[in-house]
Amino acid sequence: MNWKGHTLMNKYIFTLLISALGLRVFAQANISPAGPQDKKTVIMGAKLHIGNGQVIENGYLIFDKGKITGVGDATTVRFDFSGSTVINANGKQVYPGFIAPVTNLGLAEYESVKATLDFAEIGTFNPHIRSLVAYNTDSKVPATLRSNGVLMAQITPQGGTISGSSSVVQLDAWNWEDAALRKDDAQHLNWPVTPKPRPGFGSRAAVSEELLKERTQKILFELDQLFAEAKAYAETEKPAVINTRLAAMKHLFDGQQKLFISADAQKDITAAINFAKKYGITPVLVGGEEAYLMIPFLKENNISVVVKQPHALPNSVDDDVNLPYKNAGILANAGINVVVSIDGYWQQRNLPFMAGTVAAWGLDKEKALQTITLNTAKVLGIDKSTGSLENGKDATFFISAGDALDMKGNRVEQAFIQGRSINLDNLHKQLDKKFSAKYASEKK
């Protein structure tokens, strides 16, 4: 199915549904994407969190034409401010834009309205599905994320064994073409796991453990066969027959595209990594709940780990109840490149606080910041252009009145994407103003 056509159809269906039911939906003010930067800008006096572990207590940041052109200690240099816009940020803090990995942001709008959910396709093996062309830049959700400093995201399909390819976008754009920072950065594989057998009821017979294992082995066999065919297809200079599924996997084998594998149990992680190695691929592990049990194996194979849901309970009754809080710190302190993520789309606004939790449970504060900035940029292959405040990189960052990894301190006052000063209004702020005014007037 064509994702772009599917998305347009979903929009029409949703509009008709709302009209037919006569539902009242709060309308968000039309927020247009910001225009290009037209003047060199200097930020003075802020505490700069570079994103690579370095902190400058009283710094300056200069950016022009969307790129950072200067960064350093403001007490050691003198400036000629003529022709520049100067932002006094004394007492404030500057951070690189946060990056949300492995999210269906922009592919879903209302969880209770099926027509607005466009993140999964029918079928088991869908490497040819591209999430980017279904990304909805008119969604109300990204504006809420921007208000907490999340300025980029990896838009990721879900479902099946191979879900399809993700792409990295910036969150202030007219359409998906404008939004794209890196197209088709990774394929996403959900490692097949044998489910636990369940008793049958009524006419539905119980499925035995042996049959469940047989089904899993069949999927693994088909997966291996698909990769073998895709590798052979990639090595064929001019295939006689075009196969869109195999063609979509071509760049897994030359390193231009990454393979993200979701697996949690120790045996599944081992099997998944060994499977990828068989085809010359160094995968990125997503989830990895038991990754802390196999740190030497992960380091030996140069595996990065996308830790999911630090705010969670452990799966095993034998685990430390605080293990989900500690997991990222355990891995990062052992020398593994760790990225922090959170499930869902509107939930991404809480991503900074996931990193804050990681910092509170064993990881240095600046290293915790890296788990949602530079570490993520490296895993997504965009670290040459973003992820830290360094010369030559995109001017994608924000100014906060306080600590952006803390719920009380995260007060984003200004944000820039590629040098463009973006609008920080959102639906939540509008509703807050609306009802605050209502109840304030009733008190008089």
Side-chain angles (χ1 to χ4, degrees):
M1 182 181 291
N2 184 294
W3 274 63
K4 191 170 184 180
H6 189 191
T7 303
L8 290 171
M9 181 179 70
N10 284 347
K11 289 180 181 178
Y12 296 142
I13 292 173
F14 178 63
T15 302
L16 291 171
L17 178 66
I18 294 300
S19 301
L21 296 178
L23 299 179
R24 179 180 178 184
V25 179
F26 289 109
Q28 180 179 4
N30 190 20
I31 301 174
S32 299
Q37 181 184 3
D38 58 2
K39 199 173 186 182
K40 182 169 77 172
T41 304
V42 182
I43 296 174
M44 292 291 296
K47 181 177 182 178
L48 303 182
H49 298 267
I50 304 301
N52 58 5
Q54 182 184 2
V55 177
I56 302 175
E57 292 295 334
N58 183 0
Y60 69 87
L61 181 68
I62 306 172
F63 59 103
D64 191 19
K65 297 177 182 177
K67 296 290 183 180
I68 296 174
T69 57
V71 57
D73 188 341
T75 64
T76 61
V77 292
R78 302 184 72 175
F79 296 93
D80 177 9
F81 293 126
S82 57
S84 302
T85 298
V86 179
I87 298 174
N88 184 346
N90 288 334
K92 298 173 184 177
Q93 304 190 45
V94 174
Y95 295 84
F98 298 152
I99 310 169
V102 194
T103 172
N104 59 358
L105 175 71
L107 306 180
E109 193 71 12
Y110 300 97
E111 292 177 344
S112 59
V113 182
K114 189 176 180 180
T116 71
L117 307 180
D118 204 18
F119 52 76
E121 271 291 354
I122 297 171
T124 304
F125 302 108
N126 292 311
H128 58 299
I129 294 299
R130 303 179 67 216
S131 62
L132 180 61
V133 296
Y135 176 63
N136 178 20
T137 52
D138 293 325
S139 169
K140 294 181 175 64
V141 183
T144 303
L145 273 54
R146 297 196 303 257
S147 295
N148 275 7
V150 180
L151 305 182
M152 293 162 282
Q154 181 193 32
I155 308 307
T156 306
Q158 299 175 350
T161 300
I162 298 181
S163 305
S165 68
S166 59
S167 291
V168 186
V169 301
Q170 51 86 4
L171 303 185
D172 184 61
W174 289 100
N175 49 52
W176 64 262
E177 291 97 333
D178 293 340
L181 292 177
R182 188 179 180 205
K183 298 178 181 179
D184 304 313
D185 70 295
Q187 287 283 346
H188 292 261
L189 166 60
N190 300 303
W191 190 252
V193 177
T194 303
K196 294 181 180 179
R198 296 180 179 180
F201 298 97
S203 61
R204 182 177 295 177
V207 179
S208 66
E209 186 175 356
E210 291 72 20
L211 182 56
L212 291 172
K213 287 181 179 178
E214 184 180 324
R215 289 176 179 175
T216 302
Q217 289 304 314
K218 183 176 183 291
I219 295 174
L220 286 169
F221 174 78
E222 292 173 348
L223 181 65
D224 189 37
Q225 189 176 31
L226 176 64
F227 268 74
E229 291 175 358
K231 192 172 191 299
Y233 188 92
E235 293 169 353
T236 304
E237 187 173 344
K238 292 183 178 179
V241 178
I242 301 299
N243 186 309
T244 55
R245 278 182 169 82
L246 301 183
M249 299 173 67
K250 178 179 179 179
H251 293 303
L252 284 175
F253 306 103
D254 61 15
Q256 293 184 45
Q257 190 177 46
K258 296 194 177 185
L259 178 64
F260 280 55
I261 304 181
S262 295
D264 287 312
Q266 188 173 1
K267 64 180 181 62
D268 295 326
I269 294 171
T270 303
I273 292 173
N274 286 335
F275 173 84
K277 284 173 61 181
K278 175 181 176 181
Y279 293 100
I281 300 169
T282 300
V284 175
L285 176 62
V286 180
E289 289 182 3
E290 295 185 359
Y292 70 97
L293 298 173
M294 47 195 312
I295 287 172
F297 177 75
L298 297 175
K299 292 180 71 175
E300 177 187 343
N301 290 284
N302 193 31
I303 303 297
S304 296
V305 181
V306 179
V307 175
K308 298 183 74 177
Q309 298 293 110
H311 287 187
L313 292 172
N315 277 341
S316 173
V317 295
D318 296 325
D319 287 338
D320 178 355
V321 70
N322 296 316
L323 181 59
Y325 303 156
K326 299 176 181 178
N327 194 21
I330 292 170
L331 296 172
N333 289 330
I336 292 173
N337 186 55
V338 173
V339 172
V340 167
S341 71
I342 182 173
D343 285 337
Y345 50 103
W346 61 264
Q347 295 93 333
Q348 299 302 321
R349 62 185 178 181
N350 292 322
L351 181 66
F353 315 133
M354 302 298 110
T357 295
V358 167
W361 288 89
L363 191 60
D364 173 80
K365 193 70 171 283
E366 295 306 312
K367 287 185 178 179
L369 173 64
Q370 286 181 243
T371 66
I372 56 173
T373 54
L374 189 57
N375 288 6
T376 311
K378 288 178 179 178
V379 166
L380 303 185
I382 57 171
D383 54 301
K384 290 184 179 179
S385 61
T386 192
S388 58
L389 305 177
E390 298 180 80
N391 283 341
K393 290 193 174 185
D394 290 348
T396 301
F397 63 91
F398 65 91
I399 303 172
S400 174
D403 182 353
L405 302 189
D406 183 274
M407 288 185 179
K408 292 182 178 179
N410 186 312
R411 287 184 290 150
V412 178
E413 296 185 344
Q414 286 182 276
F416 300 84
I417 293 179
Q418 296 173 326
R420 299 177 294 116
S421 181
I422 64 174
N423 191 324
L424 290 175
D425 195 14
N426 63 54
L427 182 59
H428 292 182
K429 291 180 179 179
Q430 293 168 18
L431 292 175
D432 176 64
K433 291 176 184 176
K434 175 179 179 177
F435 289 102
S436 293
K438 175 184 185 301
Y439 292 112
S441 64
E442 289 180 358
K443 288 180 181 178
K444 294 180 180 178

